[in-house]
Amino acid sequence: MKLEIWDPKTGEKTTVKYFKYVWQKGEWYTEFGLDLKAVNSVFLVGY
Amino acid sequence: MDAIFYHGHGRQGFKLTSSAASVYDRPVVAAEIYGAFQEDKFTVNTLYQAAMEVFVRGINSLIPHGMWYDTEPQSVRIPPLISGYSKKLQSALRQFNDFAARTSMMLTGGKQIAEIGIIYPIASLQGFYHFEAKDNNGFGKFAPKETDYLTIGDELTNTLHRDFTFIHPQLFLSKQYIIADKQVILSNKINSQAYKVIIIQGGKVISYYTLKKIQQFYNAGGKVIATSMLPTKSAEFGLDTGINRIVKEMFYGTKKTSTRMILKPNGGAAIFLLNPDSAILIKTLDQLTPNADVIIKDSNNSTAGNGRFSYLHKVRDGKQIYYFANSTTDVINAEVMLRGK
């Protein structure tokens, strides 16, 4: 999955570079670290 | 809906409105917002905190209250003033408007991924309520003590990070809700949803026919959690015996002080949680449906500034759209796992 983070406040778009796939209880997951500033929100869009 | 009086007020109930929009397959869910918030405590942060909290709970269109044409103090009858004439907000409004418009655009329409259905306990609330009650102060807080649908919904959104949709017990009986593949399917044209777990919230009264359909789900391999109080009365006349029979069949052996799980060979499970706090809810959901759509490891779990950290997942135009909102005044550092690769 290609993941992009989009900040609706600033319009900034960045690609999530550091992630890994994890097999957990019969399912694949995409794992990554999310840092959010105080009083802030982001969209994560997966293709 | 109306997000009114102060930041955080009524937050537990916002998903009732967006859940209604889900069942009727409506793409736009609007909220009037900021009305009668305290002017002296209203800041730029308040603009964002309140907006994020309605967006992440399924609302996608904002109607700010307090955009008065005449900004003389005597004309602004219900502050705060949300406009370019407000000295404390004017410099921030352009960016806020961009934020609100972009967020609305991203969250409008599409299909929401929610894998838990909560039966709205309207029969219990109505069975208890009467206008002349001594303790009824008229502010909508007159409810039986076992009422827990709002607090559990809040726990799911803010602490457990497991999204859910409220289900009206009457609509649940319609052909729109289909039992298939050990799930309850909300069969909509666009916003179809599949619930792996049904939660019966604490309450004395439930529709016999609703409970019967929940039992059909359980018999077909579905997972059911009941919380705080098992029902004993039917919403319909003369069907209490049926309620008690089904409760006994599903939760047999469950003393009202235990949390024993009744399993069926086909995977069906029913469990009654007398004290459904966060810890027991996490443990139960991890046991029943370990593969959550989104898993968030947030050791901070902050509520600073009366904020919350929550998410919403939608699928639209072939894209997975996740909205993560931190309305706390703390930085959030979380490990996030999204199902799929």
Side-chain angles (χ1 to χ4, degrees), chain B residues 115-136:
Chain B
E115 298 182 335
I116 297 171
I118 296 182
I119 303 291
Y120 178 38
I122 185 65
S124 270
L125 298 172
Q126 289 175 332
F128 178 83
Y129 194 90
H130 56 117
F131 287 97
E132 296 81 13
K134 198 179 74 178
D135 301 328
N136 186 353

Side-chain angles (χ1 to χ4, degrees), chain A residues 1 8-9 11 21 24-25 28-32 34-37 39-47, chain B residues 52 95 99 102 106 291-292 319-320 322-324 326 328 331-341:
Chain A
M1 195 181 331
K9 189 172 173 181
Y21 296 126
Q24 182 170 297
K25 294 176 183 168
W28 281 108
Y29 280 86
T30 304
E31 182 179 333
F32 59 95
L34 179 70
D35 300 322
L36 265 177
K37 287 179 274 187
V39 190
N40 198 34
S41 64
V42 293
F43 283 96
L44 198 110
V45 182
Y47 300 84
Chain B
M52 277 180 217
Q95 189 170 47
F99 153 81
R102 287 165 175 154
M106 290 290 280
N291 298 315
K319 293 185 176 67
Q320 305 291 326
Y322 301 86
Y323 181 55
F324 294 94
N326 171 23
T328 79
V331 172
I332 297 284
N333 304 112
E335 284 296 318
V336 177
M337 294 169 74
L338 310 176
R339 194 169 57 207
K341 62 184 282 192

Side-chain angles (χ1 to χ4, degrees), chain B residues 98-329:
Chain B
D98 283 344
F99 153 81
R102 287 165 175 154
T103 308
S104 291
M105 184 273 291
M106 290 290 280
L107 296 178
T108 297
K111 170 182 159 166
Q112 182 189 342
I113 307 299
E115 298 182 335
I116 297 171
I118 296 182
I119 303 291
Y120 178 38
I122 185 65
S124 270
L125 298 172
Q126 289 175 332
F128 178 83
Y129 194 90
H130 56 117
F131 287 97
E132 296 81 13
K134 198 179 74 178
D135 301 328
N136 186 353
N137 64 14
F139 280 94
K141 292 187 175 175
F142 184 63
K145 65 179 187 320
E146 63 275 11
T147 304
D148 59 1
Y149 69 107
L150 293 176
T151 49
I152 287 190
D154 214 34
E155 287 291 312
L156 290 172
T157 303
N158 303 324
T159 310
L160 278 68
H161 305 301
R162 293 254 195 162
D163 202 8
F164 71 94
T165 301
F166 285 113
I167 301 173
H168 195 287
Q170 277 177 298
L171 297 175
F172 181 66
L173 297 175
S174 73
K175 290 177 182 170
Q176 202 176 353
Y177 289 94
I178 299 163
I179 297 167
D181 300 329
K182 302 181 181 184
Q183 300 174 105
V184 171
I185 311 290
L186 170 61
S187 54
N188 277 337
K189 197 172 174 182
I190 296 169
N191 191 6
S192 60
Q193 299 180 8
Y195 311 118
K196 295 178 177 176
V197 175
I198 292 293
I199 300 182
I200 305 171
Q201 300 282 242
K204 191 187 284 182
V205 189
I206 193 168
S207 158
Y208 166 73
Y209 301 102
T210 301
L211 189 60
K212 195 174 165 191
K213 190 165 179 179
I214 294 170
Q215 188 184 30
Q216 286 168 7
F217 169 61
Y218 165 64
N219 288 340
K223 314 278 197 292
V224 180
I225 299 171
T227 58
S228 300
M229 176 188 273
L230 289 164
T232 52
K233 299 280 184 192
S234 65
E236 302 83 2
F237 288 116
L239 295 175
D240 291 357
T241 310
I243 294 286
N244 288 295
R245 178 180 50 76
I246 293 173
V247 165
K248 193 175 174 187
E249 286 168 2
M250 289 182 67
F251 302 96
Y252 182 76
T254 302
K255 293 174 187 170
K256 290 186 180 176
T257 53
S258 77
T259 54
R260 185 173 155 190
M261 188 179 296
I262 308 300
L263 298 166
K264 290 181 82 70
N266 64 357
I271 184 166
F272 170 59
L273 308 176
L274 180 66
N275 298 304
D277 58 21
S278 285
I280 192 85
L281 273 172
I282 289 170
K283 191 178 162 193
T284 306
L285 285 169
D286 282 349
Q287 196 175 349
L288 295 179
T289 57
N291 298 315
D293 175 44
V294 174
I295 299 171
I296 297 172
K297 295 170 193 165
D298 163 33
S299 53
N300 192 359
N301 207 19
S302 169
T303 56
N306 190 23
R308 300 291 186 273
F309 172 50
S310 320
Y311 87 95
L312 176 67
H313 178 196
K314 289 192 131 184
V315 180
R316 209 185 76 185
D317 303 327
K319 293 185 176 67
Q320 305 291 326
I321 298 171
Y322 301 86
Y323 181 55
F324 294 94
N326 171 23
S327 62
T328 79
T329 50

